[in-house]
Amino acid sequence: MKNSEKPNDIKTANNNKEAIVKPVNGAASALRELFIDSLKDIYWAENALVNALPKMVANATSASLASAIKEHHAITKNQVTRLEKVFKIVGEKAEGKKCEAMAGLLKEGDSILEETEPGAVRDAGIIAASQKIEHYEIATYGTLVAFAKTLGENDAAKLLTQTLAEEKEADCLLNDVALNAVNIVAAE
């Protein structure tokens, strides 16, 4: 957006009518609706991840990787509880809506398990799949924090910021495990 543009001045930059997507019935028309829809999306995603992480632990051969995933499993359960608090704060029922992005990332993670032999190479694949998930979560929570702040939902923003920090920390931990152990062994 150019500095001279004001929010009310934003118009469709492309006049290509064929490229315009028609919204479905019940589509969000206000930022609050998009915020709630996004909360439902990440709530589904976190619950799906709670179910998927034990499989990753079972397939990891690196003790440091298995430990990191186990620790994040416990953190993820707390994040689900925290999201339930966010729903309560904003006056909505905690319910999930299938997150196609997370479903795809988890499916890709399963493919990596199938396409690698147990050992360091599979561990490297688990880290790669896990970091893709973390990056998705970082992007989502960053957006949710911005939406919450814009909507004046400061208590929700604080809780979402806490989760955002945890996701960034998990990504750093996975990176450390990869660079200091798993990738080195996998390259041998």
Side-chain angles (χ1 to χ4, degrees):
M1 183 164 52
K2 294 178 186 172
N3 289 340
S4 62
E5 288 183 29
K6 296 177 184 145
N8 293 336
D9 293 338
I10 298 174
K11 303 235 186 302
T12 303
N14 184 345
N15 291 327
N16 181 354
K17 300 285 185 206
E18 296 85 38
I20 305 300
V21 176
K22 185 178 178 185
V24 297
N25 286 338
S29 61
L31 184 61
R32 180 173 173 75
E33 292 172 311
L34 182 59
F35 174 63
I36 299 303
D37 190 59
S38 299
L39 282 174
K40 291 177 180 180
D41 197 63
I42 197 66
Y43 186 64
W44 185 97
E46 294 290 16
N47 277 295
L49 196 54
V50 165
N51 294 326
L53 288 173
K55 185 177 187 179
M56 291 179 158
V57 171
N59 282 279
T61 56
S62 161
S64 58
L65 175 58
S67 175
I69 296 171
K70 281 180 191 175
E71 181 181 328
H72 196 62
H73 185 247
I75 290 168
T76 302
K77 286 179 180 179
N78 289 335
Q79 291 171 344
V80 168
T81 301
R82 191 177 301 130
L83 279 170
E84 291 166 352
K85 290 177 185 175
V86 171
F87 276 107
K88 190 171 187 175
I89 288 169
V90 300
E92 295 287 332
K93 179 183 174 190
E95 62 183 352
K97 175 186 145 197
K98 185 175 183 182
C99 175
E100 296 297 338
M102 183 62 78
L105 289 167
L106 292 174
K107 184 177 179 182
E108 183 177 345
D110 285 342
S111 293
I112 288 171
L113 293 176
E114 293 169 359
E115 295 168 3
T116 56
E117 294 289 335
V121 172
R122 180 177 281 179
D123 288 348
I126 290 170
I127 292 170
S130 297
Q131 285 193 286
K132 288 178 185 182
I133 289 168
E134 293 306 325
H135 293 185
Y136 170 74
E137 290 177 312
I138 290 166
T140 299
Y141 282 108
T143 299
L144 286 169
V145 168
F147 286 172
K149 287 179 179 179
T150 300
L151 294 167
E153 295 286 0
N154 296 326
D155 291 338
K158 286 177 188 172
L159 292 176
L160 294 165
T161 298
Q162 186 177 348
T163 301
L164 175 60
E166 290 169 349
E167 300 299 4
K168 288 178 179 180
E169 186 177 321
D171 183 52
C172 288
L173 180 58
L174 288 165
N175 202 48
D176 287 346
V177 171
L179 294 175
N180 295 319
V182 170
N183 290 357
I184 296 165
V185 175
E188 291 176 353

